[in-house]
Amino acid sequence: MNMEAFETFISQFPIYQYVFIPTEELVFSPRIRTICQQECQRYGTTWACPPGVGTLEECRERCLSYPQCFFFSTVAEVSDIMDMEETLGTRREHEDIVARIEAFIKGQGIHCMALSTESCDICDECAYPDSPCRFPEQMHPCVESHGIVVTELAERFEMDYTIGYNQILWFGIIFLEDTYIRE
């Protein structure tokens, strides 16, 4: 897969910014896991969040088993960013974009792993912890579930985290089995 083909494919989506990062440059923080446990209603209720995704060390090892990742943001517009229903309603489009990019990469014969926003919401009720995930190939765990602090990563790689009152940025990371993106 070359960069031109990849950029042509992703140009159909409202991708705001992106960067390719060697995974060795990622920082994994136990602090974000503490926030998940103390503040998130989804903690301990889904395979896409801690502790269902595994320990921080297991998540770190899983991510670092890939040499490169594609970190990107998509943009959505809302009439009122304070309207949480409207704001969260834009998340589904981002999730669809993550899935389509992941499918494109896999279609090129490249093994990859995608992390996305929030927690998986494919099922009305997650099978966690009594049964395995019903849709493991479609489920994208939350970026933060793996100990990666999105705000810090965006800042470190000079990407915007906010852009305007009526615009939302959603983030995703797709880990690539090799440094396949070439000029």
Side-chain angles (χ1 to χ4, degrees):
M1 184 166 72
N2 67 35
M3 182 61 87
E4 185 178 338
F6 185 75
E7 286 183 333
T8 297
F9 179 77
I10 67 172
S11 70
Q12 68 184 302
F13 306 115
I15 295 197
Y16 181 67
Q17 293 174 311
Y18 68 88
V19 64
F20 290 91
I21 303 170
T23 56
E24 63 198 25
E25 294 187 35
L26 295 175
V27 175
F28 298 85
S29 172
R31 178 177 52 97
I32 195 73
R33 282 291 188 91
T34 301
I35 293 169
C36 288
Q37 187 172 11
Q38 294 175 351
E39 298 181 21
C40 184
Q41 297 173 357
R42 301 294 303 255
Y43 183 89
T45 66
T46 171
W47 287 111
C49 291
V53 293
T55 67
L56 183 61
E57 186 56 33
E58 289 169 335
C59 290
R60 182 181 175 281
E61 286 177 19
R62 190 176 309 124
C63 293
L64 294 178
S65 72
Y66 298 87
Q68 182 182 54
C69 62
F70 170 63
F71 179 55
F72 67 103
S73 61
T74 63
V75 63
E77 296 201 20
V78 294
S79 61
D80 180 6
I81 202 166
M82 300 307 287
D83 180 342
M84 289 309 289
E85 187 174 327
E86 180 185 16
T87 298
L88 292 174
T90 66
R91 179 177 160 244
R92 175 55 41 211
E93 181 182 7
H94 174 79
E95 296 300 323
D96 291 341
I97 291 167
V98 171
R100 291 179 68 189
I101 294 171
E102 178 187 36
F104 176 82
I105 292 168
K106 286 180 177 178
Q108 304 299 306
I110 300 168
H111 180 69
C112 62
M113 174 183 75
L115 303 178
S116 195
T117 60
E118 303 294 321
S119 165
C120 176
D121 66 353
I122 294 171
C123 302
D124 289 334
E125 187 175 325
C126 185
Y128 181 86
D130 300 323
S131 300
C133 176
R134 294 177 194 102
F135 303 101
E137 292 298 316
Q138 296 174 31
M139 187 263 292
H140 299 127
C142 174
V143 174
E144 286 87 356
S145 75
H146 280 55
I148 301 167
V149 182
V150 172
T151 54
E152 292 173 6
L153 190 61
E155 183 177 303
R156 187 162 164 229
F157 288 93
E158 300 179 356
M159 292 174 65
D160 294 330
Y161 189 72
T162 59
I163 56 174
Y165 182 72
N166 293 337
Q167 296 176 312
I168 311 295
L169 288 178
W170 295 108
F171 289 85
I173 298 179
I174 300 179
F175 292 85
L176 306 166
E177 74 176 331
D178 201 353
T179 52
Y180 280 101
I181 307 300
R182 308 215 194 288
E183 298 297 325

